[in-house]
Amino acid sequence: MSAVMRDMEIAEAPEGAARAAGDREALRRAVEQACSGIMPAWPLDQAVAVNPHWRRIDQPIRRVAARLAVLGDFRVFPARDYIRREWEAGRIAREDLNTALDRRAAQDACEVTAEQCIAGLAAAPALRREPLLVDLLDDAVQKNRRWPWRAAIVFQMSQACATYFDRHQADWRASGSPGLYGFWRESMVGDHGLGARLGLPGFAKRLSALPLRAEDALRWALAELSLDASVWRDYFEALLLSINGWAAWCAYIGWQKIPAGQEDLRLSDLLACRIAWETLLARAVPPGARGAAVSALDAHWRDFPRRVAQAETALAVDECWQRALEISFQRGFARTLRAPATASASAARAPEVQAVFCIDTRSERMRRALEAVWPGVQTRAFAGFFGIPIHYTPLGTDVRRPQLPGLAYPSVAVQDVVTAPGGTAVDAAGLAQARSARRVRLAGLDQWLGAVRWSNATFSFVEVLGAGYLGKIARWIRPPAAPRASADRLGLPGSIQDRCRPMVAGLDLAKRVELAAGVLRTMGLDDRLAPLVILCGHAGHSTNNAHASTLDCGACYGRPGEANARALALLLNDPEVREGLRSRGLRIPDGTVFMGALHNTTTDEVTGFDLDLLPPPARARWHRMEQAFARAGDRVRRERAPALRMDANLAPKPLLASFRRRANDGSQTRPEWGLTRNAAFIIGPRDRSRGRVLSRAYLHDYDARLDPDGAVLEKLMMGPMLVTNWLSWQYHASTCDPVHYGAGNKVLHNVVDGHVGVFEGNGGDLRIGLPRQSLHDGEGWHHQPVRLTVVIDAPARWIDDIIARNAVLARLCDNGWMLLWRYEGDALQRYERGRWLPLEI
């Protein structure tokens, strides 16, 4: 934000230059600090799960909770009525609460007792949001007779932002200033009915006083509000939080410009719009009301630190209940981890097939089922982007789609290539033909999608273009039991589809070898390879779902993992790459073949790719794996059915058909549960998890014996462990504060710009986070908002050294944003501010 404030030109007398420079620097710093607390929200088609508190993890969790409560009535801990139901149902036991209090007392002086905690469940904590100027100006009687001013501000700014950021949805776009503030100002000046809606005749005339530039608007507003410089940062942050959805979107745009070292001014522009609204209202009320409100505002915000301290004390009860809720989960989790490992025929002999899945919690069921139905398969887990940080360009398009964790930026290009039969060379003629055919077909599809965007246009479109489109409507209304169709293959001629392959592009041989070597070593597969290695990405399957990408791979930027899995398999099968790996001491056996596959997590079907490239022995193993996947999928569907209120006793084919129809149903608000109830992450060998039911855990294979210097462990703690922290907190925040961090009711959603986000209804702020149906089963919260418990099987010294080298890990662990355990032999220890203590639950 510094570029905005650096360019500020404050008119002052020469003798006031020093003071003006100090004011200028204080204002620049306050804007920068307020904006720095806002975490980005990714667009719908790239729904990276986000820890919305990520930019505040340098503070203890209770302090953040207190500060957010006073700034904007945000909630970080679970609601007390939720905790009360868990307590009364016996899911949180007295021993869980006592253990939570004992741990708190051992860490700091504990302010509360068990009796106070129990009594506290009768009411919400006594917290009060500090008022904005609009709250002090709006008359308590009058706002019941016309539009409340706070709601009016949010509506107007939100509609202006939706118009400004729309590039894809509207059939026409309003012209105007290229800057957000300028565009908003023009929308205000052009709205002649605003004064009537606010109950302020003559309000439109006051709009001419709005400064032309955002930086001038900030100074103009501060002069009107007479706030002391010591409260600027807090007040600015409160203003941004009052329109948090659009603030998060502006922060996302800024996040995308970080790799290029560029600044984006739209978040600070949004702040200028919001504070200008305060000033306009102050100028519109009688002088006496304005003076009283301005004086009260300054007094309230000078009192902000004391109010936060009071809130922090009040939230001690909530923090204890958060711990008790987690201990209620951890008790059973620890018991499962301590149970003796079951004997495994597959672990005792060399596997015929290795299937590498994403660490996703939904993969755990499939891994467990596969190992049960065929001892010849060894399952492993690795982050679903498979270690290649790609941007992917599907055939016939100009997109560069990131497919990697949201914390990272892509550095490897993957693009679709059409190969000649047998896959030995690029088919240039076929490539050109496929591109041309696809563009024509996608143009027709775009007409169809444009027609069904508005329901009242659909049938008139059919009348004009023919009854062929009625089939599309019928399939949408009466869903068939058809398998998932890949959007990345949509519009491709059938003769081309099997030969269209995503491949790494633009890297010379040395870099391809380096990429392959790094992936194999991090996977732990550098010298332990089966004859067939299946790299199995995953994707969701839903219809008419604005939040469909939340069901896809979180490690692939909310996209299906197909492109990553196939591109890596083709890279590792490349004879030149294999020869280069040998020179590095990594020898892939001549008989080992890699292939890509995709796990449909909604129906638990697995599809293999590039089968025409498999030699006969590998093809025979794949045929056997297809049968194993089918049997395993049936097991998983029966395990999942009760939570979806489906009949688990159906025969295999009808059961699969019912899952497919659910996925193809345009009215289905809950095609699957996604990562709901995720609670733990295990980094260790499969022996620690094999044969145990760990459906709430992410699993990442890791063997410390094969990592002599701990380098691989550091990559896992700084990569997948941080990604799972984001995933965990996205679900936690959307459950604990669905008003600010949840997307609301899917049934009421209106999509903004086709991908930016959703409104709930046609007004209010941009809704971010997860929809209610992804977390709530209609009767209560299906997700349990516990912090992530990470379990690592590695020496304590390694973990300590990695935390010491990486400040972000120390902040997460020491400030309560993550819970860390490790194995000590067969016992478990927990991390507590630099110490390893026995896990006594």
Side-chain angles (χ1 to χ4, degrees), residues 430-443:
L431 184 62
Q433 176 189 356
R435 282 176 175 159
S436 175
R438 190 176 205 195
R439 289 182 185 273
V440 171
R441 294 185 184 197
L442 289 181

Side-chain angles (χ1 to χ4, degrees), residues 391-401 435 438-439 442:
H391 54 79
Y392 169 48
T393 301
L395 184 67
T397 72
D398 298 320
V399 303
R400 286 162 53 93
R401 195 171 79 199
R435 282 176 175 159
R438 190 176 205 195
R439 289 182 185 273
L442 289 181

